Amino acid sequence: MQETIILDLTVIFVVATIIACIVHYFKHPTIPGYIIAGIIIGPGLHYLTQIPYIQGLLGVTSGFSLITNRELILTFSEIGIAFLLFIVGLEIDIKKLRHVEIVSSLGGVLQFLILFPLGYYIAWLLGFSQLESIYIGIVVLFSSTMVILKTLSDKKQVDTLHGRIAIGILLIQDFLAIFALLILSNLGNVTLFGFIESVLKGFLLIGIFAIAGKYALPWAFKFIAKSQELLFIAATSVCFIYTFLFDLGGLSMAIGAFLGGLVLGNSPYNIEIIGRVKVLRDFFATLFFVSLGMQIIFTDIFGLLIPLIVLLLLVLVSKPFITLLIISLFGYKKHPSFLTSIGMGQVSEFSLIIIAQGLALGQINERIFSITIMLAVITIIITTYLVKYQHKIYKNIHPDLEIFELMTTRKQQMEYLPRNRKAEVLLFGCNRTGQDILQTLIKDGKEVLVVDYNPDTIKYFIDKKIPSIYGDMSDPIFLDTLKLKPPELIISTIEDEFASKLLLNHVKKVNKKSTIVVSATSIPEALSLYKDGADYVILNHYIGGEHVSKMLHSALKYKSRLPTLRHKHIKGLESRKNTFLKVKKRKEGIIKQL
């Protein structure tokens, strides 16, 4: 027994590692890779060993399987669901909902009211039963929190306007998904009394846990947090306690784990807990996604083809279109609306959890399960490429998006452009490097216009009466409609090769005499930008290393200068810290004003 468990885990993790390395090399998300690994281990090997030549070559019988203890693997995968949702709860900051409260709450609800009935009706037309159609309607509704957050983080767009809108909508979707889990877990005994009893029981447990999370847990964790080992054990215990009590109450274990994470997520120790628990999460989550692939059945592949194609069009085309429409109706321009919506065209990990629960409860069959898994793998991979080339796609289709610009019900006032002041320098991106450049230019008496896609930054400069405007350098329409006389110097601190080349091409057409300084992340990228006509390319790590080496050389040669340099550095850091705190205080209500 022990040997078979070790063998099963060895096979799963070796195959998952190989496939994960391949998908990572091609810069795909790892979740589809784990599912593909499960397909190879499960149905792939099963059907392969039905070929007589393969049977003779490998010396196996028909239907041979490497995994002998599937029930134990499925049990591990259920624990994986719990840890996955526990981490999701830990990472959710409820306070963030206030920053995008209108478009995220109302927009998320509108998306539900449109997409769920649409998915349900299409599934019903395809011949699925009422309960199966409900599941399909829920599956197509939710977008992947993990995939979208990863793409935003990789592209450094978490704090952009479209990044915040996307995160806000995802938070609403996560709460709706948990509510869907609660409802669907009790659909097997559909009676009005049973349903009301389950809801009341759920709210009672939530209320008890909320009180415990507000009063008891902070007191306990204040002592526990002194030891990193105790912190890990205590956090894991909270996850299992919440999971067990919800299961004992006849409710979903996944909901209990999520609420446990949510309670700890709003504690001062959530970052440390996430760092400690992530190892367990990754272990069990890998088993969960691999087990999903193992359970796919390809008995009627041609019968699945038409429903799969229809649902792919619904997720990849209709869902982004509906999201674009909703965001535009809330008054946002077509560029941030497009960037938000294009990343939403995939199936969520919550959908996989919900569909796995439905299969375990016997509410759906393997056919629906297989369609959902294939839908998730295909849409996640396609979305990765859509987000990667989002600026090029927008450049080609932006004329067709003008109708969404006309739908905006209110105009955004995110600019300060005094008529009597002519910009001598145009500064794109006022991050850490941009702040230093801005301070130097102002000291030199230059008239600077700041362009940034962080609403907090622009609001701060508007309050300071510094000429500024909200905009994205990668938006060709924004560059065309800027309607400013080309300044003598244009500086970009945004490390985006496509956006930098777009800026270079635009400026060349308007005024070839302007000096252009752009930024890059690598030497090949910098050389490519020089080739395209950049007057200078900022390489932060190169300049930073050069500056530090010169400073250390001077300090070693003249040791008396080091205290002066230290004092100057501390003063600069404190000034920047104060600026950051002022910007942070203005976060609430900014999106509302947009």
Side-chain angles (χ1 to χ4, degrees):
M1 178 69 175
Q2 185 177 357
E3 290 79 5
T4 59
I5 294 172
I6 294 173
L7 178 61
D8 290 348
L9 292 175
T10 301
V11 170
I12 287 172
F13 279 96
V14 168
V15 176
T17 300
I18 293 170
I19 302 299
C21 288
I22 294 171
V23 298
H24 181 73
Y25 177 79
F26 289 103
K27 298 181 179 179
H28 293 309
T30 52
I31 292 175
Y34 295 144
I35 297 172
I36 292 169
I39 294 172
I40 294 170
I41 296 169
L45 187 62
H46 174 79
Y47 290 114
L48 193 65
T49 53
Q50 290 182 353
I51 302 172
Y53 174 76
I54 299 296
Q55 292 176 18
L57 184 66
L58 299 178
V60 296
T61 58
S62 177
F64 170 78
S65 176
L66 283 172
I67 306 300
T68 57
N69 201 330
R70 287 176 175 263
E71 289 185 5
L72 184 63
I73 299 301
L74 292 175
T75 302
F76 280 155
S77 73
E78 289 180 7
I79 299 174
I81 295 173
F83 272 107
L84 192 65
L85 292 180
F86 182 64
I87 293 290
V88 171
L90 278 169
E91 292 176 337
I92 288 179
D93 185 358
I94 298 176
K95 295 176 183 177
K96 286 184 179 179
L97 286 174
R98 293 202 297 265
H99 301 158
V100 284
E101 56 186 0
I102 296 178
V103 69
S104 62
S105 56
L106 296 181
V109 171
L110 273 175
Q111 193 185 52
F112 167 77
L113 293 175
I114 296 171
L115 273 172
F116 173 70
L118 181 63
Y120 172 85
Y121 183 66
I122 289 174
W124 182 74
L125 289 177
L126 289 170
F128 293 103
S129 69
Q130 185 178 18
L131 186 55
E132 290 172 342
S133 298
I134 289 173
Y135 268 96
I136 290 174
I138 290 172
V139 163
V140 300
L141 170 64
F142 301 122
S143 300
S144 174
T145 302
M146 287 195 290
V147 171
I148 294 174
L149 284 178
K150 188 177 186 305
T151 54
L152 287 173
S153 178
D154 290 345
K155 295 176 77 67
K156 299 178 182 178
Q157 294 178 349
V158 173
D159 283 328
T160 61
L161 181 58
H162 70 270
R164 294 183 182 194
I165 295 171
I167 292 170
I169 292 175
L170 287 171
L171 290 177
I172 295 298
Q173 286 189 0
D174 288 346
F175 283 111
L176 289 173
I178 294 301
F179 188 70
L181 276 170
L182 177 64
I183 300 297
L184 292 172
S185 63
N186 292 278
L187 275 181
N189 305 309
V190 183
T191 63
L192 181 60
F193 176 77
F195 175 74
I196 294 173
E197 183 185 14
S198 296
V199 172
L200 290 176
K201 195 184 296 181
F203 278 115
L204 178 63
L205 284 172
I206 290 170
I208 293 171
F209 289 153
I211 294 170
K214 187 174 182 180
Y215 298 104
L217 287 180
W219 176 82
F221 272 81
K222 190 175 182 180
F223 167 75
I224 291 169
K226 294 177 182 178
S227 168
Q228 292 297 313
E229 184 179 351
L230 286 177
L231 187 65
F232 167 73
I233 295 172
T236 308
S237 299
V238 169
C239 176
F240 280 114
I241 288 170
Y242 276 58
T243 302
F244 170 73
L245 290 176
F246 261 72
D247 185 50
L248 191 66
L251 300 171
S252 170
M253 293 190 299
I255 300 171
F258 176 79
L259 290 174
L262 200 62
V263 168
L264 292 181
N266 288 274
S267 72
Y269 316 107
N270 65 323
I271 302 299
E272 290 85 352
I273 294 171
I274 291 170
R276 291 281 171 175
V277 179
K278 261 189 175 180
V279 178
L280 274 179
R281 187 280 309 265
D282 292 341
F283 174 81
F284 287 111
T286 301
L287 288 174
F288 168 66
F289 289 114
V290 171
S291 70
L292 288 179
M294 289 168 57
Q295 296 175 71
I296 293 179
I297 297 176
F298 295 106
T299 52
D300 185 22
I301 189 67
F302 292 105
L304 300 178
L305 200 57
I306 292 177
L308 181 62
I309 292 172
V310 172
L311 293 176
L312 278 171
L313 291 173
L314 178 60
V315 173
L316 290 170
V317 180
S318 299
K319 183 155 73 168
F321 177 81
I322 290 168
T323 306
L324 175 62
L325 177 64
I326 291 171
I327 297 172
S328 298
L329 289 173
F330 277 91
Y332 295 93
K333 294 184 178 180
K334 60 182 180 180
H335 190 243
S337 300
F338 171 80
L339 294 181
T340 304
S341 60
I342 197 172
M344 293 282 183
Q346 79 284 122
V347 170
S348 169
E349 57 275 1
F350 267 117
S351 298
L352 299 179
I353 292 169
I354 289 170
I355 212 74
Q357 175 183 270
L359 183 65
L361 294 172
Q363 295 174 347
I364 59 168
N365 55 33
E366 289 85 356
R367 185 167 177 256
I368 305 293
F369 184 83
S370 298
I371 289 174
T372 304
I373 300 300
M374 288 188 281
L375 190 66
V377 174
I378 295 169
T379 55
I380 288 173
I381 291 173
I382 291 176
T383 301
T384 306
Y385 282 104
L386 290 176
V387 173
K388 184 177 181 179
Y389 299 107
Q390 59 187 2
H391 296 307
K392 291 182 179 179
I393 296 170
Y394 178 78
K395 186 179 179 181
N396 291 325
I397 69 168
H398 71 80
D400 301 321
L401 301 177
E402 285 297 327
I403 187 171
F404 294 100
E405 198 86 350
L406 299 174
M407 289 181 182
T408 55
T409 56
R410 56 193 174 90
K411 297 295 179 183
Q412 305 167 18
Q413 297 299 325
M414 284 297 288
E415 61 183 45
Y416 174 66
L417 300 171
R419 293 184 180 181
N420 58 341
R421 293 167 68 176
K422 175 191 170 185
E424 300 173 276
V425 181
L426 192 59
L427 176 60
F428 286 93
C430 207
N431 54 11
R432 287 168 292 185
T433 304
Q435 285 183 23
D436 290 335
I437 294 171
L438 178 62
Q439 289 176 10
T440 301
L441 291 170
I442 291 175
K443 285 179 182 178
D444 291 342
K446 298 291 185 181
E447 289 288 348
V448 186
L449 173 63
V450 177
V451 181
D452 202 292
Y453 54 41
N454 187 329
D456 295 337
T457 301
I458 296 302
K459 181 65 177 176
Y460 173 77
F461 286 130
I462 290 173
D463 292 344
K464 291 290 183 181
K465 301 299 180 183
I466 295 174
S468 51
I469 184 170
Y470 174 85
D472 190 345
M473 189 176 76
S474 62
D475 182 1
I477 307 305
F478 171 74
L479 296 177
D480 289 334
T481 57
L482 201 51
K483 294 180 181 179
L484 294 171
K485 191 174 180 180
E488 60 185 60
L489 175 61
I490 298 173
I491 304 171
S492 169
T493 64
I494 299 170
E495 297 173 340
D496 185 325
E497 185 178 6
F498 175 80
S500 297
K501 289 188 175 184
L502 190 68
L503 178 65
L504 288 168
N505 292 332
H506 177 80
V507 174
K508 281 181 183 179
K509 294 176 184 177
V510 179
N511 185 7
K512 294 181 180 180
K513 295 181 180 180
S514 293
T515 301
I516 310 172
V517 178
V518 293
S519 299
T521 57
S522 65
I523 292 174
E525 186 180 317
L527 293 173
S528 176
L529 291 171
Y530 274 124
K531 188 177 179 181
D532 284 355
D535 292 288
Y536 187 78
V537 179
I538 301 170
L539 272 169
N540 281 316
H541 64 277
Y542 179 82
I543 295 173
E546 188 177 38
H547 172 73
V548 171
S549 63
K550 287 180 179 179
M551 183 196 71
L552 291 175
H553 175 75
S554 175
L556 290 171
K557 192 174 182 180
Y558 306 101
K559 292 186 178 180
S560 59
R561 292 182 180 179
L562 193 57
T564 305
L565 289 171
R566 179 179 180 275
H567 176 73
K568 185 179 179 181
H569 192 213
I570 291 172
K571 192 174 180 181
L573 291 174
E574 287 176 344
S575 174
R576 185 168 294 179
K577 179 183 176 183
N578 292 332
T579 301
F580 170 76
L581 291 174
K582 289 177 182 177
V583 171
K584 190 176 180 181
K585 287 179 181 178
R586 288 173 170 81
K587 279 187 176 181
E588 292 188 14
I590 287 175
I591 301 298
K592 188 188 293 184
Q593 294 179 24
L594 290 172

